[in-house]
Amino acid sequence: MTGNFLKTTVLAAGLAGWGLSALAASPSLELVAPLADYKIYVAENTAQLVADTTGLVDAIKAGDVEGAKALFAATRTSYEKIEPIAELFADLDVSIDARADDYEKGEADPAFTGFHRIEYGLWVEGSTDGIQDYADGLLADVTDLDSRIAALTFPPDAVVGGAAALMEEVAATKISGEEDRYSRTDLWDFDANFAGAKEIYELLKPLLAEGDSAFTAKVDGNFGTVEEVLAKYRTEDGGFASYEELSGSDRALLSAKVNTLAEDLSTLEAKLGLG
Amino acid sequence: MARTNRTLLNLCVAGSALLAAAGGGAFWYAVQQTADRPAAAATRVTVSAGACTPNTLTLPGGTRRFEIVNASDRPIEWEILDGVMVVAERENIAPGFHQQMEVPLQPGDYDITCGLLSNPRGHLHVTVSEEASAAAANVTLKDFLGPLSEYRVYLVLESRKAVQAAEALRAAIAANDLPAAQAAWRAARLPYRHVEPLAYRLSDLENAIDPSAAYLAGREADPGFTGYHRIEYGLFAEESTQGLAPAADQLVADLETLGARLKEMTLTPELLMSLPGAMAGQLAEAQIPAGEDAYAGDDLPEFAASLEGIRKIAGLLGPMLEGADPALGTEIGDALGRAEAGLAKLRGADGGYPPYGSVPQEARDALARDMAALQAGFDRIEPAIGMN
């Protein structure tokens, strides 16, 4: 076993010398500042999430369907930005953000709760009557998330890997428009997912080797393209048009860019010695 | 998570690290490698429409490889959960496909997810093994990144609170409201106490923010008598807010500078390991015997706040100590508990702390002994973790 391992290692070290010379051997203390700044970013977002959810819940409690619909997409953005960390809490991620197709009985499943159950109530059922308890539950859950995150020492891998994780999730399960299927507010989520991934990338960028300018130029360019595409769908009030208005060519472009970003950002861990 | 060619990358990183070590690389490089040893054959878990097969796994601790086969008709994600926390996950495995992942596992009982959320979860029992113990004992710089970052967050947030509390104090002074200013002064000290283990090392700021009249040639009349205790002297000895506005302005400004300086400091493993012992020692040798708040007598709540700041660091070091020297971890936990209990015992019937002047000598001696014991425990952390 040991002999085999050493052979493999020598081979791998040889490869590293050729194709992967940018890999850092070991993480650096320089990671401490960006990791800390990222936690502060996440904490600010969970505080915003609690505040915005309170407003959404108030509207639902007041029976104001249109008012609640107007707040729904914006409220979700603070969650979507910080998904790499929020998803570490499996129970809350399920109760806050699971989709109907994660359940055997779909929308009728009593365990189907959170944002998407509320979305279903507002857009499909067209009423706040059936979602009063889900609204209370959502507020309790995001409040719990806020305090759990405050107490959490962020795992460096989850932060550095989080940029790629967000992009991969968009590529695999969101770009198709399945996330916000009742409200068609998917573009709000995309924008927040990109912002969350870019935040991590921007915080880590100063740590990348100077020889990595080709990498940063490519990633910057792809984020830029994504922003340009999304900007076309911005509405006057700062929101986004319906997912249904996303043209086929723009969807294909977003899809291509998000896949490339996922692939490129997935090298950050190795570049920063966390591989 | 994106993990294309993850195994290859791991091996490459391991290789580079070995080369770095061979080339005289730092201590930290040399000690990190055993955890990256490739695991034996993958353990296969098949996820069908309703369950995992097998549904219960028992594996020795260490780095284990899993092969997840999606035999259901929907895309799945597969997760290993420790309580509610996700330890590792593999997202979006398409129907009919299989994916591998490698996970370093410490002994314990975990759940595994099996497709639909409504499906029952499977169980993963990880048993004690030499590999897992060696991995846990093998503390590396990477293990410190999370704790150091968390401490930096704590410094930033607590120094923000210190500024806000000083602003409230300044407002009460400006309003000429003595009781409100006295209460605000007491509250303003607590966040400062939380960051003091590092703040007191910035001597220029420390001399402006927290000097004691006893150390100044002209005592209370000395122009160098500024900061918290100058304001304390006005509010509690002279019992007036008069003339304190400039000192309060300066305190707010100095605390803002402190926050910026703390944020810019380079935190290292050695520094983090040294802070709690040094703070406990300062309490044992100076603050508890001599008293800190000569005029307000509010020492006990401040000592409690200091212990909170110490506990924060102890909590950050705890997981690493748990692997490197569990007995020392327990010892420090006990010593911290004793120091907190010793302090809590002095609370009055109303739950509040009495003025320090009324605390008898033997009670002060007992507190000092608790802090000295705590310091002795903390001082053994660095050799315990560094030995590997």
Side-chain angles (χ1 to χ4, degrees):
Chain A
M1 273 315 286
T2 310
N4 267 338
F5 167 59
L6 286 178
K7 267 184 231 157
T8 317
T9 305
V10 170
L11 175 65
L15 285 175
W18 287 100
L20 297 157
S21 53
L23 294 185
S26 168
S28 148
L29 282 176
E30 288 183 344
L31 274 165
V32 169
L35 290 172
D37 290 347
Y38 182 65
K39 176 163 180 175
I40 292 167
Y41 169 79
V42 171
E44 285 165 0
N45 272 284
T46 52
Q48 187 67 49
L49 178 65
V50 171
D52 290 347
T53 303
T54 304
L56 174 65
V57 168
D58 286 347
I60 292 169
K61 292 279 155 183
D64 179 2
V65 174
E66 290 312 312
K69 277 177 154 180
L71 295 172
F72 175 80
T75 301
R76 282 180 58 71
T77 57
S78 309
Y79 189 82
E80 293 293 317
K81 284 178 190 168
I82 61 153
E83 269 194 327
I85 294 302
E87 284 181 350
L88 294 175
F89 298 100
D91 57 336
L92 292 179
D93 189 39
V94 165
S95 60
I96 291 172
D97 201 34
R99 302 173 186 170
D101 36 22
D102 291 325
Y103 299 96
E104 197 182 348
K105 295 176 189 160
E107 279 89 358
D109 203 302
F112 175 44
T113 60
F115 276 119
H116 296 301
R117 178 64 186 85
I118 288 170
E119 180 193 6
Y120 181 71
L122 294 174
W123 272 271
V124 179
E125 297 174 330
S127 162
T128 57
D129 293 348
I131 54 174
Q132 297 289 319
D133 290 349
Y134 297 120
D136 289 333
L138 180 65
L139 183 55
D141 285 342
V142 299
T143 306
D144 192 6
L145 179 68
D146 182 52
S147 52
R148 286 200 213 172
I149 281 177
L152 178 71
T153 296
F154 283 17
D157 315 54
V159 176
V160 176
L166 264 171
M167 293 299 88
E168 194 163 284
E169 199 171 308
V170 173
T173 69
K174 287 182 174 169
I175 194 78
S176 54
E178 61 196 275
E179 176 80 0
D180 302 313
R181 65 191 65 169
Y182 319 114
S183 63
R184 310 291 16 172
T185 55
D186 307 70
L187 295 183
W188 291 73
D189 285 25
F190 292 178
D191 183 59
N193 290 150
F194 283 114
K198 196 176 174 195
E199 177 75 20
I200 295 172
Y201 166 69
E202 292 288 351
L203 286 171
L204 296 173
K205 200 166 143 184
L207 274 59
L208 296 174
E210 281 177 22
D212 254 352
S213 55
F215 172 82
T216 52
K218 185 181 174 200
V219 173
D220 289 341
N222 284 330
F223 271 124
T225 304
V226 164
E227 282 163 8
E228 282 167 26
V229 172
L230 286 175
K232 294 202 281 186
Y233 296 92
R234 274 212 184 267
T235 53
E236 278 178 12
D237 58 2
F240 285 94
S242 163
Y243 179 79
E244 285 160 1
E245 292 180 29
L246 183 64
S247 72
S249 58
D250 280 340
R251 187 173 62 196
L253 183 56
L254 280 180
S255 183
K257 293 298 172 192
V258 77
N259 274 297
T260 310
L261 281 168
E263 198 175 310
D264 288 343
L265 293 171
S266 74
T267 64
L268 281 176
E269 279 181 276
K271 283 181 190 295
L272 297 171
L274 290 171
Chain B
M1 291 228 207
R3 288 289 184 277
T4 334
N5 282 333
R6 165 119 195 172
T7 312
L8 175 64
L9 291 181
N10 270 337
L11 288 173
C12 293
V13 172
S16 319
L18 285 176
L19 293 180
F27 157 74
W28 296 108
Y29 291 45
V31 297
Q32 74 164 34
Q33 290 318 313
T34 49
D36 290 337
R37 190 185 304 147
T43 300
R44 176 182 288 220
V45 180
T46 303
V47 181
S48 56
C52 291
T53 311
N55 196 48
T56 299
L57 297 165
T58 302
L59 294 170
T63 299
R64 297 287 159 258
R65 186 196 301 265
F66 296 89
E67 181 180 52
I68 304 97
V69 179
N70 183 1
S72 77
D73 59 0
R74 311 174 184 233
I76 58 162
E77 66 173 3
W78 193 73
E79 294 173 331
I80 298 175
L81 301 174
D82 180 5
V84 300
M85 293 293 295
V86 177
V87 174
E89 68 177 340
R90 180 59 93 165
E91 290 197 18
N92 199 44
I93 307 171
F97 281 74
H98 57 97
Q99 285 194 27
Q100 294 207 350
M101 73 173 180
E102 216 172 68
V103 188
L105 289 167
Q106 281 297 311
D109 289 331
Y110 302 85
D111 284 339
I112 53 178
T113 59
C114 298
L116 288 177
L117 294 169
S118 38
N119 290 345
R121 285 177 177 167
H123 304 286
L124 169 62
H125 303 295
V126 178
T127 56
V128 174
S129 73
E130 273 183 36
E131 186 189 342
S133 306
N138 190 13
V139 176
T140 68
L141 179 59
K142 183 182 170 189
D143 297 310
F144 268 99
L145 292 175
L148 290 169
S149 308
E150 177 60 22
Y151 194 55
R152 187 172 183 270
V153 171
Y154 183 74
L155 293 171
V156 169
L157 298 183
E158 290 302 314
S159 37
R160 277 185 198 169
K161 286 182 200 165
V163 170
Q164 286 160 2
E167 286 169 345
L169 170 62
R170 177 171 67 180
I173 288 169
N176 196 23
D177 183 341
L178 183 64
Q182 288 176 333
W185 185 86
R186 290 191 169 97
R189 287 288 290 170
L190 304 181
Y192 178 73
R193 281 294 197 160
H194 290 158
V195 301
E196 195 181 14
L198 191 54
Y200 92 92
R201 299 190 177 208
L202 301 169
S203 64
D204 56 334
L205 280 175
E206 169 77 359
N207 289 341
I209 291 171
D210 203 29
S212 159
Y215 294 137
L216 297 167
R219 293 187 173 271
E220 281 83 0
D222 198 294
F225 186 44
T226 56
Y228 284 115
H229 297 302
R230 172 65 190 90
I231 297 170
E232 179 197 2
Y233 177 68
L235 296 177
F236 294 90
E238 299 182 314
E239 297 188 299
S240 163
T241 59
Q242 292 308 309
L244 295 179
D249 285 339
Q250 190 58 46
L251 179 65
V252 170
D254 288 341
L255 288 170
E256 281 170 348
T257 307
L258 176 67
R261 293 263 299 272
L262 289 176
K263 195 176 170 183
E264 293 314 314
M265 279 184 81
T266 300
L267 303 179
T268 65
E270 295 74 16
L271 180 66
L272 190 70
M273 288 189 280
S274 75
L275 291 177
M279 189 68 224
Q282 210 189 11
L283 285 160
E285 287 156 22
Q287 298 187 358
I288 291 173
E292 177 77 351
D293 299 339
Y295 325 106
D298 207 40
D299 303 67
L300 293 178
E302 293 201 14
F303 298 158
S306 287
L307 277 177
E308 287 165 7
I310 288 173
R311 178 171 275 285
K312 176 73 191 180
I313 303 170
L316 295 173
L317 296 172
M320 287 178 284
L321 204 49
E322 198 56 45
D325 189 344
L328 179 57
T330 306
E331 201 180 304
I332 290 174
D334 290 348
L336 193 49
R338 267 196 306 278
E340 287 165 346
L343 201 53
K345 218 167 55 187
L346 299 176
R347 285 179 187 272
D350 62 350
Y353 285 107
Y356 201 50
S358 72
V359 176
Q361 190 59 44
E362 58 268 30
R364 296 185 185 201
D365 292 345
L367 281 182
R369 278 195 303 274
D370 286 345
M371 295 297 177
L374 195 51
Q375 178 188 21
F378 280 126
D379 283 351
R380 285 164 52 207
I381 287 186
E382 194 171 346
I385 288 182
M387 261 169 54
N388 295 290

